[in-house]
Amino acid sequence: MPKVRRHALVAAVSLLALLGSASPALPAALPVAAPVLAPITAHHHGNGVLHGTSSNWSGYAATGGKFTSVKASWVQPAVSCTSADAWSAFWVGLDGDGSKTVEQIGTEADCSSGSPVYSSWYEMYPSYPVNFRNSVQPGDHFTASVTTDGAGSFTLTLTNATAGWTRSVKKTLQDATLASAEVIAEAPSSLFGVLPLADFGTVDFTGADVNGQNLGASNASSIDMAEGGATRTTTSELGNGTDFSVTWHHS
């Protein structure tokens, strides 16, 4: 049976808050906070790492245990707005791989009417995502983490070392299964499917760890993003067990 991945989506209300009173030519399918199942086709690399493709995720996901922490850093990429409206998100999170809850935090790089829009947010699905008001610019150095006591209490933290700000949120979610941990570049989706992926070039994730150990020790699976026969992004192999990059190829 193919694995499925459940992911969090960007809320239409959050996007509209970002875009203000302007009237951009947004797609008819606005992002909403309702997860969509994305099937995985998986196979093993020669090095034993499980590799798969998803229509909406690219990066690394660990499963097969109980996960209580995930952390990684990245540099906010600049989007090239080759299409009028497109979206991309970069985050760390717990759950989301086949589970009914998602606890994640990260940044976004979108195109609205051909212009770049950058933001940051957290989500505790099934609640709606929440945008932070802090400034996000290309080249900013971010570190994000999600931790839990294993009994329903979560701390989600995002630090922008370049701009000198940190947002830390404490939330409770008793139904969290803690079944997976991820470091992901995502193409957000609407109820009608996966939206156009913004051309973010390459995003480099560094210092990734899960449960206090390097990401490689978690036997995480690597994921490329592909849909309709087109490869949207590719994920590199892990360096030092903690570092990898995701490269955009197609919207």
Side-chain angles (χ1 to χ4, degrees):
M1 294 290 292
K3 295 176 67 179
V4 293
R5 295 183 189 277
R6 182 178 287 270
H7 66 92
L9 306 175
V10 184
V13 291
S14 298
L15 278 180
L16 293 175
L18 273 175
L19 300 175
S21 59
S23 300
L26 293 174
L30 282 170
V32 293
V36 174
L37 294 174
I40 291 293
T41 302
H43 62 273
H44 284 273
H45 278 314
N47 59 10
V49 175
L50 186 66
H51 177 77
T53 59
S54 166
S55 65
N56 60 312
W57 278 13
S58 195
Y60 281 83
T63 57
K66 183 176 182 178
F67 299 94
T68 57
S69 71
V70 60
K71 181 180 180 180
S73 300
W74 65 90
V75 176
Q76 178 74 3
V79 288
S80 175
C81 292
T82 54
S83 60
D85 302 295
W87 291 264
S88 61
F90 316 98
W91 52 266
V92 303
L94 298 175
D95 287 320
D97 188 341
S99 62
K100 295 181 179 179
T101 63
V102 173
E103 309 88 41
Q104 60 185 205
I105 190 167
T107 64
E108 198 159 329
D110 303 328
C111 295
S112 173
S113 295
S115 297
V117 178
Y118 302 98
S119 60
S120 58
W121 52 272
Y122 76 90
E123 183 171 16
M124 297 284 292
Y125 185 82
S127 296
Y128 279 86
V130 177
N131 278 19
F132 298 125
R133 294 183 179 273
N134 304 77
S135 175
V136 175
Q137 297 296 329
D140 286 356
H141 290 248
F142 284 93
T143 297
S145 65
V146 177
T147 62
T148 180
D149 63 359
S153 295
F154 290 83
T155 301
L156 302 92
T157 303
L158 183 67
T159 296
N160 184 332
T162 304
W165 59 260
T166 295
R167 297 299 302 266
S168 188
V169 179
K170 295 184 182 295
K171 292 291 179 179
T172 301
L173 187 60
Q174 297 295 339
D175 294 335
T177 58
L178 308 181
S180 64
E182 304 89 21
V183 181
I184 294 293
E186 179 183 358
S189 304
S190 76
L191 288 174
F192 302 98
V194 181
L195 292 167
L197 179 65
D199 179 359
F200 58 82
T202 296
V203 59
D204 295 313
F205 292 97
T206 59
D209 70 53
V210 171
N211 288 351
Q213 297 183 313
N214 70 57
L215 178 63
S218 69
N219 296 316
S221 303
S222 70
I223 309 162
D224 289 340
M225 195 187 306
E227 187 176 34
T231 298
R232 307 180 83 187
T233 68
T234 52
T235 299
S236 73
E237 294 184 1
L238 282 174
N240 301 317
T242 62
D243 306 337
F244 67 94
S245 61
V246 175
T247 300
W248 183 93
H249 296 285
H250 192 275
S251 61

